[in-house]
Amino acid sequence: ENTLVLFTSDNGPARGLSAGPLRGRKGSAYEGGHREPTIAWWPDKVPAGTQSDALTSMMDLLPTMVGLAGGQVPTDRKLDGRDIWPILAGEPGAKTPHDVFYYYRGLRMQAVRSGPWKLHLAKGQLYNLDTDIGERKDVAAANPQVVQRLRDLVDQMKVDLGVAGVGPGCRKLGRVAKPRPLIGHD
């Protein structure tokens, strides 16, 4: 009654495995490298049979769990995750909390998404994920205004996380002095 169970992953399949209709696999900025099913179970909290295709991320779990536990996320630093409880709870009309989503591999931005539009930076390919979940038909030439809007979003990120390297707003890694396991191996 007081346990939320989540089953998910942080990336798509490894080499040799299928991502179904999705293009790409683990390490790729294509949907096959990122889009993962998530199953949430919590009696009387998560309605059975509900589903959502809203964009969420593993980084959303921290603020979501803190909120469910009655806590407050830190306000002295920037968190990239958002509370996705309305989506998990099956609230009618619940939408992604991400107006923009950036796809990074290491310190290099690979793609940017806003709404159904996703721009791959290396080749300038644009896809509408509402009509082409497999990212097969590049529609950049027919949508120059969308390409420009997404490129403007990329430019805005240069002063935050950066696009090809550490940007001035890069979140510092946490450090623990003299780290020790919670349970000793002996």
Side-chain angles (χ1 to χ4, degrees):
E1 295 165 2
N2 294 318
T3 303
L4 169 62
V5 177
L6 287 174
F7 181 81
T8 191
S9 179
D10 64 345
N11 54 252
R15 181 172 290 226
L17 299 175
S18 173
L22 305 176
R23 182 176 177 183
R25 60 177 175 258
K26 181 178 182 174
S28 162
Y30 290 105
E31 291 299 284
H34 288 268
R35 189 179 288 235
E36 284 291 323
T38 297
I39 299 170
W41 177 86
W42 193 358
D44 298 324
K45 304 282 187 189
V46 176
T50 57
Q51 64 181 25
S52 173
D53 62 358
L55 188 149
T56 61
S57 171
M58 293 292 280
M59 66 187 175
D60 296 325
L61 294 183
L62 172 69
T64 302
M65 298 304 166
V66 168
L68 288 172
Q72 298 289 323
V73 294
T75 57
D76 63 340
R77 66 202 78 173
K78 184 173 183 177
L79 294 179
D80 298 307
R82 303 286 181 260
D83 186 344
I84 58 169
W85 178 243
I87 295 168
L88 293 174
E91 291 182 10
K95 296 182 181 187
T96 179
H98 302 283
D99 293 330
V100 181
F101 193 83
Y102 299 95
Y103 296 74
Y104 279 86
R105 181 163 188 177
L107 298 175
R108 183 169 296 277
M109 188 188 302
Q110 303 289 307
V112 60
R113 177 177 173 184
S114 179
W117 299 103
K118 184 173 175 187
L119 179 68
H120 287 263
L121 303 180
K123 296 182 181 177
Q125 299 164 321
L126 178 69
Y127 300 101
N128 183 327
L129 298 178
D130 282 351
T131 59
D132 181 18
I133 195 173
E135 295 172 282
R136 305 280 181 214
K137 184 177 182 196
D138 178 9
V139 295
N143 297 281
Q145 73 287 358
V146 175
V147 171
Q148 186 58 54
R149 183 173 64 84
L150 294 175
R151 289 198 183 280
D152 290 346
L153 292 170
V154 170
D155 287 343
Q156 290 174 21
M157 187 51 81
K158 286 180 184 177
V159 298
D160 190 4
L161 293 180
V163 174
V166 177
C170 195
R171 311 334 168 230
K172 292 183 180 182
L173 296 174
R175 300 279 184 218
V176 175
K178 299 181 183 180
R180 296 178 43 165
L182 294 175
I183 301 173
H185 58 80
D186 56 346

